[in-house]
Amino acid sequence: MAEAAVDTVDTVTSVPVAVVGAGPAGLMLAHRLGRAGVETVVVDTRTRHEIETTQRAGILENDVARDLVETGVSDRVLREGYEHEGVELRFGGRAHRIDFKALVGASVWLYPQTDVFVDLADARERDGGTVHFGVSGTEVLDVTTEAPRVRFTAADGTRHEVRARYVVGADGSRSMCRDLVPEDRRVRYGKEYPFAWFGILTEAPTSAPELVYAHSEHGFALISQRTEAVQRMYFQCDADENVDDWPQERIWETLQARVAGPDGFRLKEGRVFEKTVLRFRSFVQEPMRWGSLALAGDAAHTVPPTGARGLNLALHDVKVLAEVLLRALGDEGDAALDDYQPQALQRVWRAQNFSYWMTQLLHAAPGGSSYDLRRQLGELDNVVATRAGRAYLAEQYTGWPTRAHD
Ligand code: PHB
């Protein structure tokens, strides 16, 4: 057996749980464990500034918003977020509102993921939690033993080793932790889509009071909001689109064409100050746990942003995982971890299905026929014109109760 190289580190720390990835999943896990008196060290290759300025989706399930408040992260979501009791589906140039409140008694919160991150990072700082941003050379070692380690170089150049009982890989869609599950012991399920989203931020007044998911023969568009003065919008584009080919006029022309209709609806235009192409795919890796390593959030599964599930799903993972880790660190030991995947995975596959379904419902497949388009309009009509269709969308979009359905 090869001996581990004994290269020097500047500090060695021992904590029950080391976390790779300081996005919302990693930080919320650390916060939940911290509240129960369990110390963590969280590391991320990105700087805090990089994470804060990367635009992500903006819809929180009611339970997720409530958990942020009730676990003492912050109540800013209640003051600065916007509660939405429905969404609009727009097709054939007409608006159809899905009234979540009336259909399933639920609502969602418009509160950007970047704000969730800021709240969590501030809470970690306030509570004295250890988070290293901007690290390099991260290595996760010995995950099949009871003494896994994480080694990294901190932003100031010092070398650190964290000795833990468990390591959590919450290192996002380009996770290196998930590669630690040996190839012959893991299964990767995935689906690529032949299109992407072009996302913008614009300085403009709100065009609609709630989110508008628009289907058109030219492709999909989503009208979302950030504040009274800043709006977030997306439109379906080619997978290899280049933002430099899109001057502001072309962006507005495209968006207006996708929402146009006999009702004369028009978007309020403004200066576009951020443009990004978002490629997306559906992905799940099983198992979500390997020895002393557990995967959470995008590291284990990603969804297209159409159903606004990604962040909500990641925060559900860590809710389950925190509970399981506390039991494992208490009397139960490793056996408690066996409960993680079954409890997390049911919601993962439900969300995979819903995100896929919303995506195929609203996007124009390149090379699609006129039959495909008419069939899609038939499906959309089934969604908005039947109570079962509306309730299905409402229930999936607002999230599923943590307890089993009756
Ligand atoms: C957003 O506001 O960025 C957003 C909202 C809903 C989605 C995706 C993105 O489905």
Side-chain angles (χ1 to χ4, degrees):
M1 208 164 54
E3 288 234 285
V6 197
D7 52 346
T8 49
V9 290
D10 298 302
T11 74
V12 175
T13 322
S14 289
V15 285
V17 182
V19 183
V20 182
L27 292 182
M28 187 65 178
L29 179 74
H31 176 73
R32 285 185 177 276
L33 293 174
R35 274 166 53 86
V38 171
E39 240 188 287
T40 51
V41 172
V42 187
V43 300
D44 201 299
T45 53
R46 299 164 298 174
T47 63
R48 183 174 161 152
H49 179 75
E50 272 171 62
I51 306 178
E52 265 174 26
T53 51
T54 306
Q55 292 301 320
R56 306 295 292 264
I59 291 289
L60 303 186
E61 289 167 15
N62 223 331
D63 282 3
V64 166
R66 197 197 53 223
D67 281 355
L68 289 176
V69 178
E70 286 183 0
T71 66
V73 174
S74 168
D75 62 2
R76 196 159 66 99
V77 58
L78 302 179
R79 287 179 279 113
E80 295 178 26
Y82 298 84
E83 188 174 11
H84 284 189
E85 297 187 351
V87 287
E88 186 177 300
L89 283 188
R90 219 182 138 73
F91 58 94
R94 289 199 165 73
H96 306 265
R97 181 163 188 263
I98 307 292
D99 187 337
F100 300 153
K101 204 72 176 190
L103 287 157
V104 294
S107 57
V108 294
W109 288 81
L110 179 76
Y111 189 66
Q113 177 168 330
T114 41
D115 284 309
V116 174
F117 167 77
V118 167
D119 292 346
L120 283 163
D122 286 350
R124 280 288 69 205
E125 217 168 290
R126 175 197 71 203
D127 299 344
T130 306
V131 184
H132 294 273
F133 290 105
V135 308
S136 54
T138 311
E139 289 173 280
V140 179
L141 306 163
D142 304 334
V143 292
T144 53
T145 74
E146 292 185 358
R149 296 175 290 147
V150 177
R151 290 182 150 213
F152 63 94
T153 303
D156 65 3
T158 50
R159 282 288 295 162
H160 297 253
E161 178 168 308
V162 182
R163 296 181 181 168
R165 176 63 196 84
Y166 296 107
V167 175
V168 174
D171 51 342
S173 58
R174 290 191 211 100
S175 171
M176 64 121 180
C177 288
R178 70 173 167 234
D179 293 342
L180 296 173
V181 184
E183 231 174 304
D184 58 344
R185 305 303 290 272
R186 69 186 185 216
V187 186
R188 290 182 169 175
Y189 305 93
K191 186 169 175 54
E192 304 286 335
Y193 298 84
F195 40 74
W197 277 12
F198 198 108
I200 63 157
L201 280 172
T202 177
E203 257 167 27
T206 328
S207 290
E210 293 172 339
L211 268 61
V212 179
Y213 286 85
H215 169 278
S216 83
E217 59 183 303
H218 312 293
F220 169 76
L222 169 60
I223 312 309
S224 183
Q225 301 91 22
R226 285 295 175 264
T227 64
E228 247 99 90
V230 174
Q231 312 309 322
R232 178 78 167 150
M233 300 182 192
Y234 304 89
F235 59 87
Q236 177 186 344
C237 66
D238 290 343
D240 55 4
E241 203 64 76
N242 180 354
V243 289
D244 297 332
D245 295 337
W246 288 82
Q248 191 162 298
E249 300 67 40
R250 186 175 174 210
I251 291 173
W252 284 118
E253 207 179 298
T254 303
L255 278 165
Q256 296 289 13
R258 297 205 183 171
V259 299
D263 62 0
F265 179 65
R266 280 192 65 79
L267 299 167
K268 298 197 173 111
E269 300 183 8
R271 185 176 72 87
V272 174
F273 63 92
E274 222 253 5
K275 308 188 267 191
T276 339
V277 172
L278 290 86
R279 298 214 47 185
F280 54 79
R281 63 177 184 147
S282 298
F283 172 82
V284 180
Q285 173 168 306
E286 293 177 27
M288 291 173 76
R289 177 222 164 182
W290 180 249
S292 299
L293 171 76
L295 301 171
D298 278 4
H301 45 75
T302 57
V303 285
T306 325
R309 300 288 78 212
L311 173 60
N312 295 293
L313 202 54
L315 293 179
H316 181 261
D317 280 357
V318 299
K319 187 173 188 167
V320 174
L321 186 55
E323 213 179 281
V324 163
L325 283 170
L326 291 174
R327 282 168 42 210
L329 292 164
D331 298 338
E332 288 185 47
D334 252 18
L337 278 193
D338 294 344
D339 290 345
Y340 173 49
Q341 172 163 318
Q343 283 186 37
L345 209 57
Q346 183 188 30
R347 188 172 280 243
V348 167
W349 280 107
R350 281 182 172 188
Q352 287 291 332
N353 176 62
F354 178 62
S355 307
Y356 168 85
W357 177 76
M358 277 280 276
T359 301
Q360 63 80 36
L361 179 69
L362 293 161
H363 291 72
S369 66
S370 53
Y371 173 85
D372 296 329
L373 185 73
R374 303 292 292 181
R375 188 209 57 78
Q376 227 173 12
L377 290 170
E379 188 173 9
L380 281 158
D381 188 35
N382 269 326
V383 172
V384 303
T386 66
R387 190 183 158 84
R390 289 193 299 274
Y392 178 75
L393 177 59
E395 195 158 45
Q396 307 281 312
Y397 194 92
T398 55
W400 305 266
T402 304
R403 305 272 161 239
H405 276 275
D406 47 17

